[in-house]
């Protein structure tokens, strides 16, 4: 497993080496030594979650305030366009987004540090997304920005078929940015 940085400070891609043969494949999805070499505390991750979504579904853009959470995100089945937005006041990339295809062919794991919004769109008939999170969920810290917010202008690759009621009701990036910066 090797690590690549991305254009957003702190966001990393952990790249495993899937081994294919006549039986199928084997890949390591997490390596504590590699995580440690990249500056992550492997023991800090306290919760694993999984979502399954249908093609076109968008989940996000979600984040946490207060203590927040960092996460490792990977796809066990299918493919998604995974999107992160820098929501760290004072960051030189505050308000900018980046996107990465995560799939069950390459098994890339995306590390998302605290202070980012996160979401994804399912690109295949179904996709299972796995999250390893470093803090227990505290609903009082939940924040969100609308996935179609024109200020973010996220380029979803396909028409959005379904979002949750919570995501449909999410506020604007401008409102969230003002809250985060005290403006």
């Amino acid at each position: 497993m090797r690590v690549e940085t991305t254009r957003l400070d702190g966001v990393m891609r952990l790249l495993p080496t899937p081994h294919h043969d006549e039986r199928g494949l084997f890949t390591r999805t997490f390596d504590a030594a590699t995580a440690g070499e990249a500056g992550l505390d492997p023991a800090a991750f306290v919760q694993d979650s999984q979502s399954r979504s249908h093609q076109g579904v968008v989940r996000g853009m979600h984040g946490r305030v207060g203590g927040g959470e960092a996460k490792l995100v990977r796809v066990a089945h299918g493919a998604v366009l995974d999107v992160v937005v820098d929501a760290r006041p004072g960051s030189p990339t505050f308000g900018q987004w980046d996107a990465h295809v995560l799939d069950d062919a390459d098994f890339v794991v995306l590390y998302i540090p605290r202070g980012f919004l996160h979401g994804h769109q399912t690109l295949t008939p179904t996709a299972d997304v796995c999250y390893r999170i470093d803090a227990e969920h505290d609903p009082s810290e939940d924040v969100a920005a609308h996935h179609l917010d024109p200020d973010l202008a996220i380029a979803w690759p396909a028409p959005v078929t379904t979002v949750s009621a919570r995501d449909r009701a999410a506020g604007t990036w401008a409102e969230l940015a003002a809250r985060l910066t005290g403006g």
Side-chain angles (χ1 to χ4, degrees):
M1 188 171 265
R2 62 188 173 83
V3 178
E4 288 180 349
T5 58
T6 69
R7 68 178 200 85
L8 297 180
D9 182 44
V11 177
M12 294 181 270
R13 293 166 39 98
L14 286 73
L15 306 163
T17 305
H19 300 279
H20 298 268
D21 65 20
E22 66 278 356
R23 299 167 295 169
L25 72 89
F26 171 85
T27 192
R28 180 170 295 139
T29 61
F30 181 75
D31 185 295
T34 301
E37 290 168 9
L40 307 178
D41 176 5
F45 294 91
V46 298
Q47 191 176 75
D48 283 6
S49 301
Q50 180 173 332
S51 69
R52 176 170 292 153
S53 300
H54 303 289
Q55 192 161 15
V57 166
V58 168
R59 292 181 183 259
M61 299 300 298
H62 307 143
R64 307 278 183 268
V65 294
E69 66 185 16
K71 59 181 98 171
L72 295 166
V73 180
R74 68 180 180 86
V75 168
H77 173 77
V80 302
L81 181 73
D82 202 85
V83 179
V84 293
V85 176
D86 190 343
R88 302 171 299 174
S91 168
T93 55
F94 181 73
Q96 294 181 28
W97 62 271
D98 200 9
H100 305 268
V101 173
L102 303 180
D103 62 30
D104 63 3
D106 297 323
F107 295 99
V108 169
V109 178
L110 190 65
Y111 171 72
I112 305 167
R114 292 171 183 249
F116 281 78
L117 300 181
H118 172 251
H120 66 267
Q121 183 177 41
T122 304
L123 304 175
T124 51
T126 60
D128 288 358
V129 179
C130 301
Y131 310 83
R132 178 166 278 186
I133 303 164
D134 76 345
E136 292 193 27
H137 181 239
D138 180 351
S140 70
E141 293 186 342
D142 288 352
V143 294
H146 199 279
H147 62 285
L148 295 176
D149 184 278
D151 289 334
L152 291 176
I154 296 169
W156 299 110
V160 176
T161 59
T162 309
V163 296
S164 69
R166 171 185 168 213
D167 291 346
R168 278 192 307 275
T172 68
W173 167 251
E175 293 165 338
L176 180 56
R179 176 179 171 194
L180 296 171
T181 60

